[in-house]
Every structure is written in C-alpha cells, then in structure tokens.
C-alpha cells in the first residue's frame, strides 16, 4: 500500500476501483469467512489487529515441547488453564514492489530494488514498534533478471535490519515484481502492546522521526539528471535506499506512545489514515521539510518511511530518543477532537497522496 512515485497505472481509466475501497471489500469477505472459523469469539479476536494497520497483529500459541506441555498441565490449577497454553503476539507485514509502478529501473539498480523491497516491508513492522525476525521473498521477473544483484540488495537490507530471509518463490514474468512478507515480534517486557494507527487521542502530540520529502525530491532530481551534487545524492539515496526506523518505533512504543504509522503514502494521506483509525482530527503547526524538497513533496510525495508518532507524553518520547542517541523527533502538531480535514496553521490541507486505481 506504500506510495509509488514512478507511475500511475489507473490514471484516466473510467470506473476505476480505488485501492482503499478494494481493501474494504476484501476485508469484509475475509472476515465473513473468519466468523465461521471463530464461531464462539469476536472477529478479530480481542488483542488482534487484522486488515487495516501497517502490520497485522495475531495471537498464536507458543510452541511447547512435550515436557513443557506436561509441566504446564501439572502446574495448572484447573483443567481450563491446562487447555490454554501460553500465547504470544506475532506481527505480519507484506509489501509489493512493481517495476514501472514503484520503481523505475532506469533510475535505480537491481541492488537498490532488492534493498528497498525488504526495507519497506520491515518499515511496516517499525511502525508497530516491532522488530523483524524472518522474511519470505517472492520474485517474478523477466528473462535475464540478475538475481545476484537483486539478492545482494535484499541481503544488505536483511543484514542491516537483522531480518533473516528463510524462503520465498521465483517465477518468470513480463515485468519485475517483488513481494516481501515479514514476521516480527515485540521485544522487551514493557507492558506496552503494538503501536496501532487507532491509539491516538485528542490532545496527543504528533512527532515525526525525521524531515520529509526526500524520496520524492530525489526522484525528481534523478529524472531531471540533476542528482550529481552531494546534497542531491542524499535525496537520491532517500528514494533508492530508504531506511526503516526500527529502533525509533521500538523506543516510541516503550516510551508509552499512543499510535504510529510510517510515512509511505505521503504526510497528508498517512495522517489521514491515523486520524480516521483513531477518530480524531489533526492540526499541524509546522511542516518538516528536508533540505531540497518542496512543500508538495512533503505533503504528498510519500516513500519517506519516517514514522509519525502520537503521544500524550512528548517530553518522555524526546527523552527516550535522546537516551538512545537517536535523532530528536520533530513535533509537527496535535490531535484534536474536531474530526475533519487535517489543517496546517489553521488552514485545511488539500487531500492527496498516492492511491492505486484498478
Ligand atoms: Mg505503512
């Protein structure tokens, strides 16, 4: 669902189906089936988050050896306790990279594409305050695809994030498509659950983990052949090799943040996702513009992969980032009770951001 800024596959097509309408219809279908599979409980079960957040949160039974199971049965005071082995929360995220939609192979190497494919998936776990553990990578590509180069980029991102690639699939295809799925968990016993989009409350402060607009500005410079200077190379790097803010997400969760999302579709679109899920409005008082980007690239560019964090305790968040020697988060506004279009310095922001059309 992250924002591609290299193409517009649905532009001009009549009766196009919007990405988010398609997701809602699929969600209704899958949840209807799940209700048959969970006849005695709610769907999703309490504590789970399925379709609609950066990553799905599911509760699964901890694997036990026979000895552990016996021990548990002996220890359990009642039969009911024995019948309910310990559970843990797992986080699941998946993302697609499609040649011509998300990446332009004239402007980045296959190495970059592989790197980005894993990183953008892992970014969705960062947005939940989770850490990636394992990934599956499926690649469909045309004849002549250089899997060594693609693999080098995937491996570099896997090494940087600590995410181990344990499987996947390969297929021939007219264009390059990479699907990456990641499995992760919440580290540390802090008592704080995953950071959901829906956790923000009126009065919460909003902060971002870094200035925005770099990826869109980098793409603009690459397209115009002006990415030669050192400053421009930084922006081109933001487009080619984004960084998942894993540590920032984890620290935010452990510092009691209330909600988070990664900036993939553009600031306006992503604050909209968080606002709708939380049932709040958003009032921004500043735009975190990276050097060299335009205001529009900040608002609608997307693919920055910085985290937008809501918290009731901004000082605690800033202190926790400082203690971990992370770049200070940038305050950009507050959540308000009045629901409606997000505002900047009191003026409504025009809607925008990427939406796939089908
Ligand atoms: Mg996301």
């Amino acid at each position: 669902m992250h924002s591609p800024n290299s193409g517009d596959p649905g532009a001009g097509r009549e009766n196009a189906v919007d990405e988010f309408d398609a997701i809602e219809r699929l969600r209704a279908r899958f949840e209807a089936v799940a209700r048959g599979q969970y006849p005695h409980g709610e769907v999703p079960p309490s504590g789970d988050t399925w379709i609609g957040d950066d990553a799905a949160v599911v509760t699964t039974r901890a694997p036990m050896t026979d000895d552990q199971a016996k021990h548990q049965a002996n220890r359990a005071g009642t039969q009911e306790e024995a019948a309910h082995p310990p559970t843990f929360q797992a986080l699941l995220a998946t993302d697609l990279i499609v040649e011509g939609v998300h990446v332009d192979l004239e402007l980045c190497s296959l190495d970059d594409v592989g790197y980005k494919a894993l990183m953008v998936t892992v970014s969705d776990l960062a947005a939940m305050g989770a850490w990636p553990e394992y990934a599956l990578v499926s690649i469909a590509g045309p004849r002549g695809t250089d899997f060594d180069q693609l693999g080098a980029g995937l491996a570099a991102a896997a090494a940087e994030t600590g995410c181990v690639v344990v499987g996947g699939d390969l297929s021939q295809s007219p264009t390059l498509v990479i699907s990456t799925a990641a499995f992760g968990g919440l580290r540390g016993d802090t008592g704080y659950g995953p950071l959901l989009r829906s956790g923000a409350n009126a009065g919460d402060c909003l902060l971002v983990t870094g200035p925005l607009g770099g990826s869109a500005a980098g793409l603009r410079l690459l397209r115009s052949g002006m990415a030669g200077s050192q400053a421009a190379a930084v922006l081109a790097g933001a487009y080619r090799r984004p960084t998942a803010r894993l540590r920032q997400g984890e620290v935010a969760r452990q510092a009691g943040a209330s909600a988070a999302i990664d900036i993939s579709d553009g600031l306006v679109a992503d604050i909209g996702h968080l606002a709708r899920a939380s049932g709040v409005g958003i009032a921004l008082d500043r735009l975190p513009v990276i050097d060299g980007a335009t205001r529009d690239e900040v608002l609608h560019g997307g693919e920055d992969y910085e985290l937008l964090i809501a918290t009731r305790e901004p000082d605690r968040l800033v202190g926790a980032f400082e203690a971990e020697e992370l770049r200070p988060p940038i305050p950009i506004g507050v959540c308000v009770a009045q629901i409606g279009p997000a505002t900047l310095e009191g003026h409504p922001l025009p809607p925008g951001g990427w939406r796939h059309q089908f």
Side-chain angles (χ1 to χ4, degrees), residues 1 23-24 27 49-56 197-198 261 273 277:
M1 279 181 271
I23 290 170
E24 276 313 309
R27 180 224 289 262
T49 300
W50 291 355
I51 295 168
D53 214 304
D54 288 274
R197 294 179 178 184
S198 57
I261 185 170
H273 296 323

Side-chain angles (χ1 to χ4, degrees), residues 250-323:
E250 182 167 71
V251 170
R253 181 176 64 81
Q254 293 173 347
S258 53
I261 185 170
D262 67 337
I263 306 290
S264 57
D265 293 345
L267 180 64
V268 173
D270 287 316
I271 57 178
H273 296 323
L274 186 136
R276 270 189 299 282
S278 293
V280 296
I282 300 234
L284 301 181
D285 51 35
R286 70 182 281 199
L287 281 187
V289 186
I290 198 168
D291 279 351
T294 65
R295 178 188 151 94
D296 192 60
E297 284 163 348
V298 173
L299 292 173
H300 304 302
E303 293 201 326
D304 287 301
Y305 300 104
E306 297 294 347
L307 302 182
L308 172 73
I309 300 164
T311 178
R312 200 163 45 88
E313 303 170 280
D315 293 344
R316 184 178 170 198
L317 184 79
V318 169
F321 272 49
E322 195 178 336

Side-chain angles (χ1 to χ4, degrees), residues 66-134:
D66 287 350
D67 282 350
Q68 285 171 325
K70 268 187 220 151
H71 179 70
Q72 158 106 9
N74 290 338
R75 246 188 64 226
T78 66
Q79 276 199 333
E80 193 183 338
E81 279 178 55
H84 290 86
T87 59
F88 69 96
Q89 280 186 316
L91 286 97
L92 306 168
T94 187
D95 234 323
L96 277 172
I97 293 273
V98 179
E99 176 188 349
V101 179
H102 303 95
V103 288
D104 182 341
L105 292 179
E106 302 283 308
L107 302 178
C108 48
S109 67
L110 277 182
D111 206 313
D112 293 330
V113 175
Y115 184 92
K116 191 167 181 172
L118 191 91
M119 204 51 95
V120 301
T121 303
V122 162
S123 174
D124 279 329
L125 295 180
M128 312 292 284
W131 205 268
E133 293 180 35
Y134 302 106

